[in-house]
Amino acid sequence: MTIEIPEMMKAAVLRDPAAGLRVEEIRTPRPKEGEVLVRVSACGMCHSDLHVLGGAIAFPMPCVLGHEVAGEVVEVGPHHGQPTVAVGDRVAGAFLMPCGRCESCAAGRDDLCVPFFTMNRLRGRLYDDTTRLLDVDGSPIWMYSMGGLAQYCVIPSTSVTVLPDGIDPVAGAILGCAAMTAYGAVRHGGDVRFGDSVAVVATGGVGSNVIQIARAFGASQIIAIDIADDKLDDAMRLGATAAVNSSTSDARTEVLALTGGRGVDVAFEVLGRPETWTTALTVVRDGGRMVPIGLGAGVQTAGVEINQTVRRSQSIVGSYGARTRHDLPRVVDMAAKGQIDYRGIVSRRFALEDVAEGYTLLRHGEIRGRAVIDMSL
């Protein structure tokens, strides 16, 4: 099966944080060994993108952001390493793209893949140490993950999973970050067991999925904590058993009252801010776990009360994404079975030309759940 691929495509390019994203025509990328080319149907708009857009996290420019995509495979590179993926397949792409060869990947810890962090996250390249994105004049444009805010993107085949019939090709974009990150936090970071009580601090795109996945894992109490009542209403719809608005009440007091003075077994922090770290730590029981998921803006720190942490035997277990090759297929399966309401989490759809507006709304906290760039608009 052969699909015609244009020489040029539209992409949202960041050349200067002060100027923001601008939709331009650049060369359509082509896959190399171990990669696939995907015609993007949608790309999710993640809060962590804001750190690059605002210059808080250093990243080479010009670049194309966008790290959770769904789309159709239109070309496969040689030895692409995924025999179940072929041209014409609809796939979800994960933001955390394991090389599959380093010591961490060999141990099954895709989330610690060294080439991903050193080459892609720091330098915007894939694993031959080059980018797949080129400007009209042939100069490099760097890739944040796969650079999914474009009509086409190249993804290592380690990082795609075929979508079964029935998965929405637009809303399904969020499975590769918002849902997979939540799955990794619940399954590995929090090790949530049947009957556990959990709190979720910040109930946006990732937090909404933490709620659903914790429910699927059998959590007995799921306490949603946020500062927006509309987001808390959504959290209750998705399976939270209680909601706490931390802007109008003291979160620790409310959580202790809900848990018989004990606190929760696991608290998830999903925003990456010092104040949400503090909230999450204060609601954890003796011997409990706090799982930070949200990325901070640059080199940001959060205070931890040493004696309290030591005396109460609390654990802080960071969770970045998940173990892509193992976990993304399970996330897709949960979505297909209705255990994750991924469609309901997508509250806004923007055309690629409106990408800057979408991120402005996200920055101001005006997006409930997740917004996506819908390439059909």
Side-chain angles (χ1 to χ4, degrees), residues 66 75 109 116 179 184 204 257 282 292 303 319 323 337 359 376:
E75 186 179 12
R109 292 300 304 268
F116 172 73
T282 61
S319 181
R323 302 171 190 183
K337 291 176 177 175
Y359 278 110
S376 69

Side-chain angles (χ1 to χ4, degrees), residues 30-41:
R30 305 304 285 264
K32 295 185 179 181
E33 183 172 347
E35 300 168 353
V36 297
L37 177 65
V38 172
R39 179 164 57 203
V40 177
S41 56

Side-chain angles (χ1 to χ4, degrees), residues 226-239:
D226 207 295
I227 60 172
D229 286 332
D230 57 353
K231 294 180 181 179
L232 291 171
D233 289 342
D234 290 341
M236 294 295 292
R237 176 180 61 80
L238 292 169

Side-chain angles (χ1 to χ4, degrees), residues 12-316:
V13 181
L14 181 67
R15 299 184 182 275
D16 178 356
L21 292 169
R22 294 182 178 177
V23 177
E24 305 176 11
E25 279 212 337
I26 64 174
R27 297 186 186 184
T28 302
R30 305 304 285 264
K32 295 185 179 181
E33 183 172 347
E35 300 168 353
V36 297
L37 177 65
V38 172
R39 179 164 57 203
V40 177
S41 56
C43 180
M45 305 176 73
C46 180
H47 192 273
S48 62
D49 292 334
L50 296 175
H51 300 318
V52 179
L53 289 169
I57 289 180
F59 195 77
M61 296 183 194
C63 65
V64 175
L65 304 180
H67 59 261
E68 55 178 21
V69 301
E72 178 187 5
V73 175
V74 294
E75 186 179 12
V76 298
H79 309 107
H80 70 91
Q82 177 63 289
T84 61
V85 174
V87 171
D89 285 339
R90 294 187 309 111
V91 296
F95 84 96
L96 206 163
M97 307 183 306
C99 72
R101 299 176 180 176
C102 69
E103 183 177 352
S104 294
C105 286
R109 292 300 304 268
D110 294 2
D111 54 322
L112 300 178
C113 175
V114 174
F116 172 73
F117 288 101
T118 58
M119 291 185 183
N120 184 269
R121 270 296 175 265
L122 294 180
R123 302 170 66 199
R125 306 169 188 229
L126 292 183
Y127 304 138
D128 64 347
D129 208 23
T130 66
T131 179
R132 299 293 172 271
L133 297 178
L134 299 174
D135 215 333
V136 176
D137 62 4
S139 59
I141 296 175
W142 310 110
M143 307 166 63
Y144 193 77
S145 286
M146 71 285 289
L149 288 172
Q151 292 176 310
Y152 293 83
C153 68
V154 166
I155 311 176
S157 60
T158 56
S159 310
V160 295
T161 293
V162 174
L163 295 175
D165 293 340
I167 293 287
D168 187 315
V170 174
I174 75 166
L175 298 177
C177 177
M180 192 184 78
T181 296
Y183 181 93
V186 174
R187 171 67 180 83
H188 304 297
D191 190 23
V192 172
R193 307 293 181 90
F194 185 85
D196 279 350
S197 58
V198 306
V200 182
V201 184
T203 60
V206 176
S208 295
N209 281 288
V210 170
I211 290 167
Q212 298 188 83
I213 294 168
R215 179 190 62 191
F217 275 49
S220 61
Q221 278 187 295
I222 304 171
I223 303 169
I225 303 173
D226 207 295
I227 60 172
D229 286 332
D230 57 353
K231 294 180 181 179
L232 291 171
D233 289 342
D234 290 341
M236 294 295 292
R237 176 180 61 80
L238 292 169
T241 59
V244 174
N245 188 320
S246 57
S247 69
T248 58
S249 60
D250 180 73
R252 174 174 166 76
T253 300
E254 295 294 325
V255 170
L256 290 179
L258 289 164
T259 57
R262 179 172 174 268
V264 296
D265 297 300
V266 189
F268 296 94
E269 190 285 321
V270 199
L271 196 57
R273 294 181 179 175
E275 60 269 29
T276 47
W277 258 70
T278 299
T279 297
L281 280 170
T282 61
V283 301
V284 174
R285 69 165 175 83
D286 292 356
R289 303 174 295 286
M290 193 278 267
V291 181
I293 306 169
L295 289 176
V299 182
Q300 197 168 22
T301 60
V304 176
E305 186 179 336
I306 295 173
N307 287 352
Q308 175 177 295
T309 304
V310 172
R311 288 171 175 163
R312 297 179 65 196
S313 298
Q314 294 175 327
S315 301
I316 300 174

